[in-house]
Amino acid sequence: MKILHLADLHLGKRVNEFSMLEDQRYILNQILDIVEEEAVEVVMICGDVYDKGIPPVDAIELLDDFLWKLAEKDCRTLMISGNHDSGDRLGFGKHLFQNSNLFIVSQFSGEIEKITIPCGNLPVNFYMLPFVKPVIVNQSLGIHTQSYQECLRYLIEHTKIDPEEMNLLMAHQFVTAGKENPELSDSETSSLGGIDNVDYRIFDPFDYVALGHIHKPQAMGRPQVRYSGSILKYSFSEIRKEKEVVLLHIEENKKMEMSFRKLKPLRDMREIKGTIRQLMEGEIRLGNQEDYMQVTLTDEEELRDAIGKVRTVFPNVMQICLENRRYARQQQIRAEEQDILHQDPLQLFAEFYKMQNNIELEEEEAEKIKTIFEEVRQ
């Protein structure tokens, strides 16, 4: 049996006010090609299917098209909700969809739900756990767990798991390995971590743990506890992080092999540095000019309509940064703002005068300014 592990589609997401829908459609079609090329039988989608609880219509239509094409390939699709999803909305029609080999678990039902798919004589059990908080589990089961760690440990300990069978868990949580946290990016919420932490060792009863929630592909603790990562780069902190899907190949003797297929986006997310002239005259290697760009300008002189000029070279520029001596001075001033109330006003004025005019404030002028300050204080 061949299984594909996906997560964090974030359909409908906007990055720096750019809609990512066209890019998401492109990458989902690429994933469909991988499904066909690898003869994938099961696709796991491990949460954050949408970017918002109330997704835009075009994002719903895109997911509908993707799931329909998977069904046309006689592929079983298993999908859980993430913290960005609305469980009610994502779970609509789930009983009807089972007839099309689409299995959705979007809300906690009091137990970790299981789907069993045979691989020859070997039962392969897919345990499907949507994003849960202790308060949800406590209310549902009448228990009093205090943390995510206690909550998930309780659920797993009260789940019948046959070690003679192949057992996979789909989850959408913040999983750590002791003191080691997963590597995060700017596109993830700052609330991740802390009390959310779940140690990977509580998943020991499972042969593979398919995780969603973190956008960089990575394993936690052991290779079989793995985040597949998001399908696209959603922030400039991910520039050097390639995206991929995970492929599992399970044999009847419980042997499992893991491989990876890189995803190539329609438009990459990149950064470039130089002056306006270097950009306009092609002195810098530009690469694909349709990519989403963060451009750092190093011009020393004042720039007029910088964004307009940059867009003639990179129409999809998302961010423009400045890196020059003037900007560095401004940054220095901002860094020192917290100390301003504790400094002598005359000294501050003298420093500002020197910065603007490149000469020291003359003694006679300093005395006049001092007199003005004293009059204002009175």
PDB file of all heavy atoms in Angstrom, residues 212-223:
ATOM      1  N   GLY A 212       0.273  17.522  11.283  1.00  0.00           N
ATOM      2  CA  GLY A 212       0.096  18.836  10.696  1.00  0.00           C
ATOM      3  C   GLY A 212       0.314  19.871  11.781  1.00  0.00           C
ATOM      4  O   GLY A 212       0.433  19.536  12.958  1.00  0.00           O
ATOM      5  N   HIS A 213       0.387  21.148  11.411  1.00  0.00           N
ATOM      6  CA  HIS A 213       0.461  22.281  12.346  1.00  0.00           C
ATOM      7  C   HIS A 213       1.709  23.113  12.124  1.00  0.00           C
ATOM      8  O   HIS A 213       1.681  24.319  12.304  1.00  0.00           O
ATOM      9  CB  HIS A 213       0.437  21.801  13.793  1.00  0.00           C
ATOM     10  CG  HIS A 213      -0.103  22.823  14.770  1.00  0.00           C
ATOM     11  ND1 HIS A 213      -0.958  23.842  14.418  1.00  0.00           N
ATOM     12  CD2 HIS A 213       0.105  22.969  16.109  1.00  0.00           C
ATOM     13  CE1 HIS A 213      -1.274  24.546  15.479  1.00  0.00           C
ATOM     14  NE2 HIS A 213      -0.638  24.044  16.523  1.00  0.00           N
ATOM     15  N   ILE A 214       2.853  22.481  11.768  1.00  0.00           N
ATOM     16  CA  ILE A 214       4.115  23.189  11.583  1.00  0.00           C
ATOM     17  C   ILE A 214       4.450  23.197  10.095  1.00  0.00           C
ATOM     18  O   ILE A 214       4.281  22.190   9.416  1.00  0.00           O
ATOM     19  CB  ILE A 214       5.254  22.508  12.377  1.00  0.00           C
ATOM     20  CG1 ILE A 214       4.868  22.394  13.859  1.00  0.00           C
ATOM     21  CG2 ILE A 214       6.558  23.283  12.216  1.00  0.00           C
ATOM     22  CD1 ILE A 214       4.575  23.710  14.540  1.00  0.00           C
ATOM     23  N   HIS A 215       4.932  24.321   9.591  1.00  0.00           N
ATOM     24  CA  HIS A 215       5.052  24.507   8.146  1.00  0.00           C
ATOM     25  C   HIS A 215       6.358  24.012   7.538  1.00  0.00           C
ATOM     26  O   HIS A 215       6.462  23.915   6.320  1.00  0.00           O
ATOM     27  CB  HIS A 215       4.843  25.984   7.803  1.00  0.00           C
ATOM     28  CG  HIS A 215       3.431  26.426   8.002  1.00  0.00           C
ATOM     29  ND1 HIS A 215       3.000  27.715   7.743  1.00  0.00           N
ATOM     30  CD2 HIS A 215       2.338  25.754   8.441  1.00  0.00           C
ATOM     31  CE1 HIS A 215       1.708  27.812   8.010  1.00  0.00           C
ATOM     32  NE2 HIS A 215       1.300  26.634   8.440  1.00  0.00           N
ATOM     33  N   LYS A 216       7.349  23.720   8.363  1.00  0.00           N
ATOM     34  CA  LYS A 216       8.587  23.161   7.816  1.00  0.00           C
ATOM     35  C   LYS A 216       8.537  21.631   7.901  1.00  0.00           C
ATOM     36  O   LYS A 216       8.264  21.082   8.972  1.00  0.00           O
ATOM     37  CB  LYS A 216       9.803  23.660   8.581  1.00  0.00           C
ATOM     38  CG  LYS A 216      11.101  23.056   8.042  1.00  0.00           C
ATOM     39  CD  LYS A 216      12.315  23.394   8.876  1.00  0.00           C
ATOM     40  CE  LYS A 216      13.549  22.679   8.329  1.00  0.00           C
ATOM     41  NZ  LYS A 216      14.756  22.911   9.117  1.00  0.00           N
ATOM     42  N   PRO A 217       8.810  20.913   6.798  1.00  0.00           N
ATOM     43  CA  PRO A 217       8.885  19.450   6.875  1.00  0.00           C
ATOM     44  C   PRO A 217       9.999  19.035   7.839  1.00  0.00           C
ATOM     45  O   PRO A 217      11.139  19.480   7.700  1.00  0.00           O
ATOM     46  CB  PRO A 217       9.211  19.025   5.439  1.00  0.00           C
ATOM     47  CG  PRO A 217       8.831  20.189   4.578  1.00  0.00           C
ATOM     48  CD  PRO A 217       9.053  21.401   5.424  1.00  0.00           C
ATOM     49  N   GLN A 218       9.656  18.180   8.800  1.00  0.00           N
ATOM     50  CA  GLN A 218      10.651  17.752   9.783  1.00  0.00           C
ATOM     51  C   GLN A 218      10.105  16.617  10.634  1.00  0.00           C
ATOM     52  O   GLN A 218       8.896  16.468  10.781  1.00  0.00           O
ATOM     53  CB  GLN A 218      11.065  18.918  10.697  1.00  0.00           C
ATOM     54  CG  GLN A 218       9.907  19.558  11.447  1.00  0.00           C
ATOM     55  CD  GLN A 218      10.270  20.900  12.049  1.00  0.00           C
ATOM     56  OE1 GLN A 218      11.112  20.994  12.936  1.00  0.00           O
ATOM     57  NE2 GLN A 218       9.647  21.959  11.540  1.00  0.00           N
ATOM     58  N   ALA A 219      11.030  15.819  11.160  1.00  0.00           N
ATOM     59  CA  ALA A 219      10.662  14.736  12.071  1.00  0.00           C
ATOM     60  C   ALA A 219      10.920  15.194  13.501  1.00  0.00           C
ATOM     61  O   ALA A 219      11.771  16.048  13.749  1.00  0.00           O
ATOM     62  CB  ALA A 219      11.466  13.478  11.760  1.00  0.00           C
ATOM     63  N   MET A 220      10.182  14.612  14.447  1.00  0.00           N
ATOM     64  CA  MET A 220      10.370  14.936  15.853  1.00  0.00           C
ATOM     65  C   MET A 220      10.641  13.663  16.638  1.00  0.00           C
ATOM     66  O   MET A 220       9.774  12.785  16.726  1.00  0.00           O
ATOM     67  CB  MET A 220       9.124  15.641  16.410  1.00  0.00           C
ATOM     68  CG  MET A 220       8.846  17.003  15.813  1.00  0.00           C
ATOM     69  SD  MET A 220      10.246  18.161  15.857  1.00  0.00           S
ATOM     70  CE  MET A 220      10.571  18.254  17.619  1.00  0.00           C
ATOM     71  N   GLY A 221      11.838  13.541  17.181  1.00  0.00           N
ATOM     72  CA  GLY A 221      12.169  12.416  18.041  1.00  0.00           C
ATOM     73  C   GLY A 221      12.589  11.165  17.297  1.00  0.00           C
ATOM     74  O   GLY A 221      13.636  10.583  17.568  1.00  0.00           O
ATOM     75  N   ARG A 222      11.793  10.717  16.366  1.00  0.00           N
ATOM     76  CA  ARG A 222      12.112   9.570  15.505  1.00  0.00           C
ATOM     77  C   ARG A 222      11.572   9.852  14.113  1.00  0.00           C
ATOM     78  O   ARG A 222      10.624  10.644  13.968  1.00  0.00           O
ATOM     79  CB  ARG A 222      11.543   8.266  16.079  1.00  0.00           C
ATOM     80  CG  ARG A 222      10.023   8.209  16.247  1.00  0.00           C
ATOM     81  CD  ARG A 222       9.615   6.892  16.912  1.00  0.00           C
ATOM     82  NE  ARG A 222       8.208   6.868  17.300  1.00  0.00           N
ATOM     83  CZ  ARG A 222       7.250   6.219  16.635  1.00  0.00           C
ATOM     84  NH1 ARG A 222       7.547   5.549  15.516  1.00  0.00           N
ATOM     85  NH2 ARG A 222       6.000   6.231  17.071  1.00  0.00           N
ATOM     86  N   PRO A 223      12.145   9.231  13.089  1.00  0.00           N
ATOM     87  CA  PRO A 223      11.753   9.560  11.712  1.00  0.00           C
ATOM     88  C   PRO A 223      10.277   9.333  11.421  1.00  0.00           C
ATOM     89  O   PRO A 223       9.726   9.966  10.519  1.00  0.00           O
ATOM     90  CB  PRO A 223      12.625   8.621  10.868  1.00  0.00           C
ATOM     91  CG  PRO A 223      13.788   8.286  11.730  1.00  0.00           C
ATOM     92  CD  PRO A 223      13.271   8.258  13.126  1.00  0.00           C
TER      93      PRO A 223
END
